[in-house]
Amino acid sequence: MDSHAPENPLGGEALNPPSGSAWLDPVRWLQGAAIGGCVLYTILFLYHGLVLVWFPFDVDNSEACLVYQGQRLAEGSFLYKPLNQEPYLADNYPPLYPVVLALGFKLTGPNFHWPRAVSLSATVLTAVLIGFWTYRRTRDRASSWLAGLIYLSFYHVYDWGALARVDALGVALAVTGLTIFETRRSWTAALWFFFLALFTRQTLFAAPLAVAATLAGSFHRRSGLVFLACLAGGMTALYGVLVILSSGEAWYHLIVYNANEFRWSDVGVYLRQWLILYTVWGCAPLVILFSEFPGQTNQGAKRSPLLFWYTLFALGEAALCGKIGSAPNYLLSLVTATAAGMGIIYHQARGGTKESPHGTPVPASVPFVFLLAATVLQIAATWHWPHRMDFSYTPTRADAHAGRLLQNELRRTPGPILSDRAGVALMAGHPPVYEPFIGTQLVRQGLWDQTPLLDRVAVRAFPRVILQFNLEDENWDRERFTPELIAALREHYTRTRAYGPYRIYEPKPKVE
């Protein structure tokens, strides 16, 4: 290095003043385009996420039920109640996320702002941790920035990363455990975060199993067994406490009621979506499994097999999307592994090493730029004004106005409100009565008798029924509503008006 060249205060290469021709260097433009494209996606996601945080009502079918769980805990009640009494709700997740909501609700009362702010913050934290993990592996700032930004560029994160759901927090906790283990090689420190992740969503098994496999494949084989024993014993104890506190009901809510029908055709749908949207990035898991295979060396030193095992188990976790009613949230661990892997792949394609992290960006930047262009074109082909560049629906001012009109009416309406999306009613002081999807699946499996709900409909016990679809439409969602419930609603209720997407049904006059 020229002794007169100015030093880079951030480390890495020297900051040589660019010559006039340097600005025309395609190397700079290609690398800038690759990272700049991901920055654009990140800005779009952050805009979408902040709009969701500010929106006062639910945009997802299950958000209101989770907010209500937090409200119940804040009011001193408990979860996992029997389904033979109203409300007919299954609390399908462990209680950590509702506990976090309850802490906020103690100060603010129930709302959708705090739950979504928790999820959005957790999603951004996950991206930061992915970047840090990649930097620890490569010592390459460009690759680590790219890895974190790629995570925020995925449809699955855009669609799920700011919702009032358990997944963003659970993934952030799991990735925190992975990062601690990769950095400190201490499974005892990481174990606590895996406890928290599994106490947020019980299917986040990819990260702890990756640590166990990494330990078992090294000279710490006994540590791997001890780690698994501590994890299994701790989770058994935690879930056992829930079962005892709920008089056995937690077992049904967390295990039995989650055992929905599995369809491989749904796995195929999500796989096609993955490969169509991310034709290049989507192949990254296979590249990771090949290039990060345990025992391979890098510059004479063994590579850490953690990313290999995490990717492998994340593929298994993603396969759970075949469970009926699943959504892109089951692929978030795979997205995490893919983003970290793409950062490392980009670093290696540049010819960088840990000792000399800055290679030539041309070989890696070209496919990245073409990928970004292809993804932009794919999204542009599905534009629908005014929701351009919108992977997932972003609420509008009109939606907020319609919700407030309905909220004001429901505040003046006594009695329980039956709604397929219960957020507006909850904000008006009416707790959820019924969660349609879970109820329908439990009826199909013979695990719940819906007769008490049908009887309530028959006697017109609900002064308002709020639906997001036309009750007379023959294309109603049969995964979310049973034919018996639809027939009862048609017989005893009639549509009177609508506020935006909210269709209001009132009891029909009783015939003497």
Side-chain angles (χ1 to χ4, degrees):
M1 181 185 297
D2 186 353
S3 61
H4 299 290
E7 294 184 356
N8 183 350
L10 298 178
E13 294 177 324
L15 293 175
N16 295 306
S19 62
S21 60
W23 295 106
L24 301 177
D25 186 355
V27 169
R28 294 178 180 271
W29 284 99
L30 285 170
Q31 181 167 287
I35 295 179
C38 290
V39 170
L40 171 62
Y41 279 120
T42 297
I43 292 172
L44 293 172
F45 166 69
L46 292 176
Y47 169 78
H48 168 77
L50 290 172
V51 170
L52 283 175
V53 169
W54 190 252
F55 188 67
F57 308 114
D58 50 346
V59 297
D60 175 82
N61 295 328
S62 297
E63 283 186 307
C65 294
L66 281 161
V67 170
Y68 183 49
Q69 289 180 26
Q71 178 182 341
R72 286 149 64 190
L73 290 173
E75 294 172 349
S77 183
F78 195 58
L79 310 179
Y80 316 116
K81 301 293 185 182
L83 280 184
N84 58 4
Q85 59 190 27
E86 192 177 311
Y88 311 109
L89 302 173
D91 299 325
N92 292 100
Y93 296 107
L96 183 62
Y97 184 70
V99 167
V100 173
L101 302 193
L103 294 176
F105 294 166
K106 284 284 189 180
L107 300 175
T108 65
N111 61 77
F112 288 93
H113 309 303
W114 166 243
R116 292 194 185 121
V118 169
S119 294
L120 180 60
S121 301
T123 298
V124 174
L125 174 62
T126 300
V128 172
L129 291 171
I130 291 170
F132 178 72
W133 184 6
T134 306
Y135 181 74
R136 293 284 300 183
R137 282 285 306 271
T138 65
R139 300 296 179 182
D140 181 353
R141 285 185 172 82
S143 297
S144 60
W145 271 100
L146 195 64
L149 292 171
I150 283 175
Y151 181 75
L152 298 177
S153 304
F154 262 80
Y155 151 74
H156 310 76
V157 174
Y158 188 101
D159 186 36
W160 216 259
L163 292 178
R165 300 294 298 265
V166 303
D167 306 274
L169 178 61
V171 171
L173 291 167
V175 176
T176 300
L178 287 174
T179 306
I180 289 174
F181 178 76
E182 184 82 307
T183 303
R184 300 173 55 184
R185 277 294 181 265
S186 171
W187 64 263
T188 54
L191 180 64
W192 299 103
F193 289 93
F194 296 139
F195 279 144
L196 294 174
L198 291 168
F199 217 52
T200 304
R201 199 185 88 191
Q202 60 270 50
T203 53
L204 287 171
F205 56 79
L209 289 184
V211 169
T214 300
L215 290 169
S218 68
F219 59 87
H220 298 292
R221 289 194 176 107
R222 183 172 176 274
S223 296
L225 294 176
V226 174
F227 170 80
L228 276 180
C230 291
L231 182 68
M235 293 312 302
T236 300
L238 287 173
Y239 280 91
V241 169
L242 291 181
V243 170
I244 293 171
L245 291 176
S246 63
S247 300
E249 288 297 324
W251 168 261
Y252 293 98
H253 285 256
L254 297 173
I255 306 298
V256 177
Y257 297 161
N258 274 312
N260 297 334
E261 175 189 353
F262 187 90
R263 300 184 299 205
W264 282 106
S265 59
D266 286 358
V267 177
V269 169
Y270 282 103
L271 177 61
R272 287 195 299 273
Q273 182 191 69
W274 177 275
L275 293 176
I276 289 172
L277 280 177
Y278 303 106
T279 308
V280 178
W281 288 349
C283 295
L286 297 179
V287 177
I288 295 167
L289 294 178
F290 176 77
S291 64
E292 298 287 320
F293 191 81
Q296 295 198 54
T297 60
N298 183 17
Q299 299 297 314
K302 276 192 175 183
R303 292 174 178 164
S304 166
L306 184 63
L307 182 59
F308 169 87
W309 290 115
Y310 183 53
T311 303
L312 184 65
F313 290 119
L315 285 167
E317 194 176 297
L320 295 177
C321 67
K323 193 175 67 165
I324 188 170
S326 297
N329 56 322
Y330 280 97
L331 283 78
L332 286 175
S333 292
L334 184 60
V335 171
T336 302
T338 299
M342 286 307 298
I344 293 171
I345 291 168
Y346 181 76
H347 166 74
Q348 294 172 345
R350 295 171 65 192
T353 66
K354 197 167 184 178
E355 291 74 21
S356 178
H358 304 283
T360 303
V362 170
S365 298
V366 170
F368 269 78
V369 172
F370 276 107
L371 169 66
L372 289 164
T375 307
V376 169
L377 292 175
Q378 173 70 21
I379 300 169
T382 60
W383 279 6
H384 295 286
W385 180 266
H387 308 302
R388 54 199 183 283
M389 293 297 286
D390 206 359
F391 270 139
S392 181
Y393 183 66
T394 303
T396 65
R397 292 182 179 179
D399 295 326
H401 179 67
R404 289 192 183 95
L405 291 175
L406 177 59
Q407 181 185 28
N408 291 335
E409 176 179 329
L410 295 182
R411 281 174 174 166
R412 302 188 298 268
T413 305
I417 303 297
L418 182 63
S419 178
D420 64 341
R421 187 178 289 176
V424 177
L426 179 60
M427 294 300 101
H430 300 277
V433 172
Y434 173 66
E435 206 289 304
F437 172 76
I438 295 296
T440 298
Q441 299 308 310
L442 295 181
V443 169
R444 286 182 174 184
Q445 298 172 54
L447 296 174
W448 180 59
D449 181 6
Q450 65 178 333
T451 302
L453 176 62
L454 298 179
D455 290 343
R456 298 275 281 160
V457 172
V459 299
R460 300 167 175 84
F462 306 108
R464 299 288 187 277
V465 173
I466 314 298
L467 301 176
Q468 299 273 320
F469 64 96
N470 186 354
L471 189 57
E472 302 303 322
D473 191 346
E474 290 302 322
N475 294 322
W476 46 272
D477 190 345
R478 284 163 173 77
E479 290 185 358
R480 299 189 66 242
F481 291 89
T482 64
E484 296 81 7
L485 179 56
I486 292 294
L489 290 172
R490 286 174 175 171
E491 180 179 357
H492 300 290
Y493 284 82
T494 184
R495 178 176 169 178
T496 57
R497 58 199 171 283
Y499 299 117
Y502 306 103
R503 295 167 172 83
I504 294 91
Y505 292 81
E506 296 186 29
K508 292 179 179 179
K510 294 183 178 180
V511 178
E512 298 296 337

